[in-house]
Amino acid sequence: MDIQFEKVSYTYQVNTPFSYQALKDINLEIKTGEFVAIVGHTGSGKSTLLQHINGLLLPTEGRVQVGDFLLSRKNKRQDLKKLREKAGVVFQYPEHQLFEETVERDISFGLKNFQVPADEIQTRIMDALEKVHLSEDVLAKSPFELSGGQMRRVAIAGVLAMNPEVLILDEPTAGLDPKGQQDIMNMFNHLHKTKNMTTILVTHQMNHALAYADHIFVLADGSVQMEGTPKQIFSQADELKKANLDMPDVLSLIKRINQMFGTDIAYERRQPAALAKEIAERLRENKRL
Amino acid sequence: MMPAIEFRDVYFRYNEDAPWVLKKFNLKIKANETVAIIGHNGSGKSTIAKLANGLLVPQAGEILINDRKLTTSNVWEIRQKIGMVFQNPENQFVGTTVKDDVAFGLENRGVSRKEMIERIHTSLTEVGMEDYQNHEPHNLSGGQKQRVAIASVMATYPGILLLDEATSMLDPRGRKEILSTINDLKEELEITMVMITHDLHEITLADRVIVMNEGQIYIDTTVDQLFNDHQGLQSIGLSLPLTVELAIELEQYDYQFATYPLDNEEFLEALWTSNLKK
């Protein structure tokens, strides 16, 4: 499902003294199978934008095309349920939406709502559990007995069980410890690669945008300020600064090393071990010269 | 000097079938000390905060705040001394506008109108939310809400500030702003701060770092000594900052680091020195 925003604006509480324009004339395109990051400072309009993708918000002006679905003010009455089955959203703190008595019932809630045939529900649940790396024995437990990280996985499993074609992630790692963050991002990356799922990551963590995205949109003040590959985006440090965003840690460190030692080390998505090897080799070469 | 917070042989678990979250737990935090408590999710660190202001009651042991034993009869009085900011700002909003929200805690404490207006202005300015005074909370983004929550607590001038992963929802820049604000406030007001956190920037503000594991203190140390036991920290589920990870890898290539660097500048300085000696 290709996604296209055409001149989209959105204003909260329109025609009231509290009217607030969160999105201004947004144009963007996301192709099927891409891993896209939407980054921006707090209040830049990221979360408002993502709610347009599955029709939770309709644009005040302009139109959003998601696969066969056209979303606009003029085109209100259509079956958004079908769209929401295909475009799954993992909201911030999804575990706060858990409510059922058991994990199994919680995961199957959405499936029943979307009239998935009863004989298919069990396989879908088992599939979703496997995707989020939880074992079968959590099924009978209350979701509220689980740890925070496990609860989040259950909530994510509920979204994945719908077999969405597009997965929209709103700050999916917020509140997890660093190891939990890494685990969950690796999980999404794996799903993206193996299931060819279009993945849209809304985040203010530049480190994650750098490590996983094919394409990045930078939002500032409700507009798209920059777009491009991670390499293109993060080579424009000044522009990024204007959007109140920092460079990813690893890039600012490499940049400083290059300045200090006159090297030209590149990141190339290297893990620390490989990067350390590169640094050591380059410094040694440098000494020989 | 009397400790601001003291735990004596505290035992706590959420119910009788559950394992102990804290086991014979002892802790002393001095007045005006800044302490970071870290540990993986489920290590018991948030429980400490909730016990300290009486949101949870231990099954055994004593908790003392400013040398007074916390009991059910003085819990309300003691809570005035402990300002608490939680991880999720959604659960701590009471006002219909940003301004009302900050005013709520002040009204409860009988602060005069004139002072209230002043304090609301000051605290909202400190967190960079002064332009949002009349906004409704549900229209704010998560980070903005959290800044208001922090402003609400700071406006009441608590002697002890407990931050339970309070910056984990903020973007890096917002986080830095708030941390420097909290740091300024601490210097001006002589406040005891306990930060329960995963964030390295928060940790580096602390005089002391306590690492929790399985309901007990794993290490009680200072920031620059923290990563000496990096293998141990990883084995209890903590991850290392990039500069520390790189330093450890570089040791294999005969680079030496006296202490593990916590930021880029420390890293570069150590790398430079070590490179010269090679």
Side-chain angles (χ1 to χ4, degrees):
Chain A
M1 284 211 296
D2 289 350
I3 297 164
Q4 198 168 8
F5 278 57
E6 248 176 75
K7 297 188 173 169
V8 171
S9 296
Y10 186 81
T11 306
Y12 284 102
Q13 290 178 287
V14 100
N15 298 331
T16 72
F18 305 109
S19 148
Y20 173 72
Q21 190 175 5
L23 294 182
K24 298 168 192 164
D25 201 27
I26 300 268
N27 290 297
L28 61 82
E29 215 184 318
I30 298 168
K31 294 238 163 60
T32 307
E34 268 190 315
F35 195 130
V36 164
I38 297 173
V39 303
H41 191 250
T42 309
S44 61
K46 307 186 293 286
S47 299
T48 307
L49 190 146
L50 90 83
Q51 292 180 64
H52 280 77
I53 300 174
N54 75 344
L56 283 172
L57 293 176
L58 290 173
T60 313
E61 280 168 62
R63 44 192 252 167
V64 178
Q65 183 87 44
V66 184
D68 299 333
F69 296 86
L70 176 67
L71 307 168
S72 76
R73 278 279 130 144
K74 290 175 204 134
N75 199 16
K76 275 184 191 168
R77 288 172 213 282
Q78 53 179 321
D79 190 9
L80 289 177
K81 215 170 167 182
K82 278 268 173 310
L83 169 62
R84 289 177 187 153
E85 201 174 345
K86 289 183 175 167
V89 183
V90 175
F91 287 101
Q92 285 182 18
Y93 294 105
E95 61 274 21
H96 292 167
Q97 298 165 38
L98 297 172
F99 68 102
E100 270 286 13
E101 282 168 33
T102 66
V103 168
E104 183 165 10
R105 289 176 62 159
D106 213 294
I107 298 175
S108 60
F109 179 78
L111 296 169
K112 285 179 188 154
N113 250 340
F114 283 101
Q115 277 103 38
V116 172
D119 54 343
E120 207 188 313
I121 286 182
Q122 204 53 33
T123 23
R124 293 266 203 118
I125 292 174
M126 297 316 287
D127 237 31
L129 268 192
E130 198 197 314
K131 285 176 187 164
V132 299
H133 310 299
L134 283 174
S135 70
E136 231 175 287
D137 43 280
V138 297
L139 283 177
K141 287 190 184 163
S142 157
F144 304 101
E145 288 172 35
L146 305 176
S147 75
Q150 286 175 318
M151 279 166 76
R152 183 159 303 184
R153 282 165 195 272
V154 170
I156 293 168
V159 176
L160 292 176
M162 306 306 307
N163 289 337
E165 293 173 28
V166 179
L167 189 59
I168 304 158
L169 309 167
D170 189 2
E171 303 279 9
T173 61
L176 295 180
D177 59 29
K179 192 160 175 300
Q181 296 193 9
Q182 223 168 13
D183 291 348
I184 252 174
M185 283 313 299
N186 287 340
M187 177 191 97
F188 285 129
N189 197 34
H190 181 74
L191 282 173
H192 168 75
K193 291 217 163 109
T194 53
K195 311 281 170 195
N196 193 32
M197 217 185 275
T198 308
T199 307
I200 302 171
L201 170 70
V202 175
T203 186
H204 53 228
Q205 295 232 30
M206 297 306 118
N207 296 341
H208 293 165
L210 174 71
Y212 302 105
D214 306 316
H215 201 86
I216 298 176
F217 292 95
V218 179
L219 286 194
D221 254 341
S223 307
V224 177
Q225 193 184 316
M226 302 162 78
E227 67 163 294
T229 62
K231 213 169 182 175
Q232 288 166 339
I233 296 289
F234 294 121
S235 61
Q236 305 173 62
D238 293 341
E239 279 293 304
L240 212 57
K241 215 173 191 172
K242 273 192 223 154
N244 264 327
L245 297 173
D246 290 325
M247 290 289 274
D249 295 334
V250 64
L251 293 189
S252 47
L253 182 59
I254 290 174
K255 191 176 172 193
R256 294 283 289 117
I257 293 172
N258 285 340
Q259 282 171 349
M260 194 168 219
F261 296 97
T263 47
D264 60 346
I265 297 163
Y267 165 55
E268 315 284 359
R269 291 196 168 160
R270 270 187 275 235
Q271 295 299 307
L275 204 54
K277 184 166 180 262
E278 172 81 4
I279 293 169
E281 279 171 8
R282 292 304 186 85
L283 293 191
R284 202 177 304 139
E285 269 172 34
N286 230 7
K287 277 212 147 172
R288 243 181 270 134
L289 292 173
Chain B
M1 200 148 82
M2 70 179 180
I5 299 173
E6 189 175 356
F7 280 59
R8 288 184 189 157
D9 293 335
V10 169
Y11 284 81
F12 179 81
R13 60 183 168 190
Y14 283 92
N15 62 55
E16 276 183 28
D17 312 323
W20 292 109
V21 181
L22 295 180
K23 281 176 293 198
K24 202 173 163 54
F25 178 72
N26 285 285
L27 172 70
K28 250 188 221 182
I29 291 170
K30 284 184 280 200
N32 301 334
E33 197 173 23
T34 305
V35 179
I37 301 180
I38 65 174
H40 61 85
N41 286 349
S43 61
K45 57 192 193 314
S46 285
T47 306
I48 297 171
K50 293 187 183 115
L51 285 164
N53 81 342
L55 283 173
L56 297 174
V57 180
Q59 276 84 14
E62 291 184 338
I63 294 161
L64 294 94
I65 303 298
N66 298 330
D67 238 9
R68 284 184 60 200
K69 192 182 167 204
L70 182 62
T71 65
T72 43
S73 56
N74 67 13
V75 63
W76 292 100
E77 197 189 319
I78 282 181
R79 269 186 208 160
Q80 306 233 349
K81 307 278 190 282
I82 300 191
M84 192 148 170
V85 177
F86 295 94
Q87 181 184 31
N88 188 350
E90 312 286 339
N91 304 342
Q92 32 194 339
F93 244 108
V94 285
T96 49
T97 64
V98 164
K99 193 165 66 178
D100 284 355
D101 197 73
V102 183
F104 181 79
L106 301 174
E107 281 167 354
N108 283 345
R109 285 166 175 77
V111 174
S112 73
R113 183 181 152 77
K114 186 171 163 286
E115 198 185 336
M116 208 187 281
I117 291 169
E118 236 175 71
R119 286 210 210 171
I120 290 170
H121 179 75
T122 317
S123 62
L124 284 176
T125 307
E126 274 162 355
V127 299
M129 290 296 290
E130 69 275 23
D131 293 342
Y132 292 81
Q133 291 210 19
N134 295 315
H135 276 236
E136 292 176 27
H138 66 266
N139 284 345
L140 301 177
S141 66
Q144 290 171 326
K145 282 179 192 158
Q146 191 65 320
R147 279 144 79 183
V148 175
I150 291 175
S152 301
V153 170
M154 295 198 304
T156 68
Y157 299 162
I160 301 170
L161 186 57
L162 282 180
L163 301 158
D164 189 359
E165 294 184 36
T167 61
S168 66
M169 271 302 296
L170 301 184
D171 51 27
R173 200 158 295 220
R175 180 180 299 156
K176 262 183 243 165
E177 283 163 22
I178 298 234
L179 290 180
S180 75
T181 311
I182 291 171
N183 205 31
D184 292 348
L185 205 81
K186 174 204 164 204
E187 278 168 19
E188 282 162 31
L189 297 179
E190 302 197 323
I191 200 165
T192 307
M193 291 221 298
V194 181
M195 302 178 286
I196 288 157
T197 185
H198 303 301
D199 181 74
L200 187 72
H201 300 296
E202 257 183 274
I203 297 170
T204 49
L205 278 182
D207 309 322
R208 182 175 158 203
V209 184
I210 293 168
V211 182
M212 291 295 296
N213 186 44
E214 292 180 357
Q216 285 177 326
I217 293 177
Y218 177 77
I219 337 173
D220 186 343
T221 180
T222 56
V223 180
D224 38 319
Q225 301 300 312
L226 177 62
F227 292 105
N228 288 354
D229 178 26
H230 56 84
Q231 277 152 337
L233 293 179
Q234 282 181 299
S235 75
I236 62 166
L238 291 178
S239 64
L240 307 176
L242 175 68
T243 49
V244 175
E245 263 187 286
L246 281 177
I248 293 165
E249 295 292 344
L250 281 164
E251 282 175 334
Q252 292 178 30
Y253 303 97
D254 295 326
Y255 286 91
Q256 278 151 22
F257 296 86
T259 59
Y260 286 115
L262 296 170
D263 60 34
N264 288 359
E265 296 317 308
E266 279 181 34
F267 177 85
L268 289 161
E269 203 174 303
L271 187 62
W272 181 262
T273 316
S274 181
N275 193 44
L276 282 179
K277 285 183 196 152
K278 279 183 69 146

